């Protein structure tokens, strides 16, 4: 699979295990960032730095009872991991349009740039299945 793929999937496994916030900092370069292209949950998309990513992971962990990343394919191209995955998550509590126990599913293409064994950037295209 290559080192970039191992680095990228190690983050996914940590998220599945419920890690969030400062516990995730060890996976990232200090200047890491994420670009999330427009999707159903973020119609304008988003560009965030590492501190914003870690804060969002805490908020997400509070909303999700569980989450799973099914890596359908992964290849390394130089220092980039290219992942095709399906994410599923179960809602922990009523929030906005979501009810406790609802399951969300997204089909994702993700490009994870690595440097020195750390994640330098993530660019993600998240396609959510319909939800109310």
């Amino acid at each position: 699979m290559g080192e970039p793929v191992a680095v990228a999937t190690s983050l996914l496994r940590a998220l599945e295990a419920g890690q969030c916030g400062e516990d995730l900092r060890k996976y990232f370069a200090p200047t890491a960032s994420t670009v999330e292209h427009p999707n159903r949950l973020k119609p304008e998309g988003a560009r965030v730095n590492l501190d914003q990513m870690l804060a969002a992971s805490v908020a997400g962990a509070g909303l999700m009872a569980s989450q799973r990343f099914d890596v359908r394919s992964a290849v390394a191209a130089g220092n980039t991991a290219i992942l095709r995955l399906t994410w599923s998550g179960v809602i922990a509590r009523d929030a906005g349009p979501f009810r406790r126990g609802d399951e969300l599913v997204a089909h994702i293409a993700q490009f994870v740039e690595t440097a020195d064994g750390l994640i330098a950037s993530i660019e993600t295209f998240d396609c959510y299945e319909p939800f109310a």
Side-chain angles (χ1 to χ4, degrees):
M1 280 196 300
E3 182 186 353
V5 172
V7 170
T9 56
S10 68
L11 173 64
L12 300 179
R13 299 304 160 235
L15 292 167
E16 285 179 335
Q19 291 184 31
C20 64
E22 287 300 317
D23 290 340
L24 298 176
R25 189 176 293 274
K26 65 186 173 198
Y27 295 96
F28 295 96
T31 58
S33 63
T34 293
V35 172
E36 183 175 354
H37 289 274
N39 61 62
R40 182 98 189 264
L41 292 181
K42 291 189 179 173
E44 302 300 316
R47 181 179 299 267
V48 297
N49 65 30
L50 178 56
D51 288 336
Q52 292 166 319
M53 283 189 274
L54 299 179
S57 74
V58 172
L63 180 60
M64 306 308 300
S66 65
Q67 60 181 334
R68 180 169 177 241
F69 296 88
D70 178 20
V71 179
R72 303 177 59 78
S73 64
V75 297
N79 290 328
T80 303
I82 303 167
L83 308 172
R84 182 171 60 102
L85 54 104
T86 301
W87 170 84
S88 57
V90 177
I91 301 294
R93 58 181 170 77
D94 293 355
F98 306 117
R99 296 293 160 253
R100 182 176 186 261
D102 285 353
E103 182 177 25
L104 301 179
V105 176
H107 305 281
I108 299 171
Q110 197 166 84
F111 301 83
V112 181
E113 297 282 340
T114 64
D116 300 320
L118 298 173
I119 296 169
S121 68
I122 300 171
E123 182 174 6
T124 188
F125 299 82
D126 304 349
C127 301
Y128 288 89
E129 290 188 359
F131 55 83

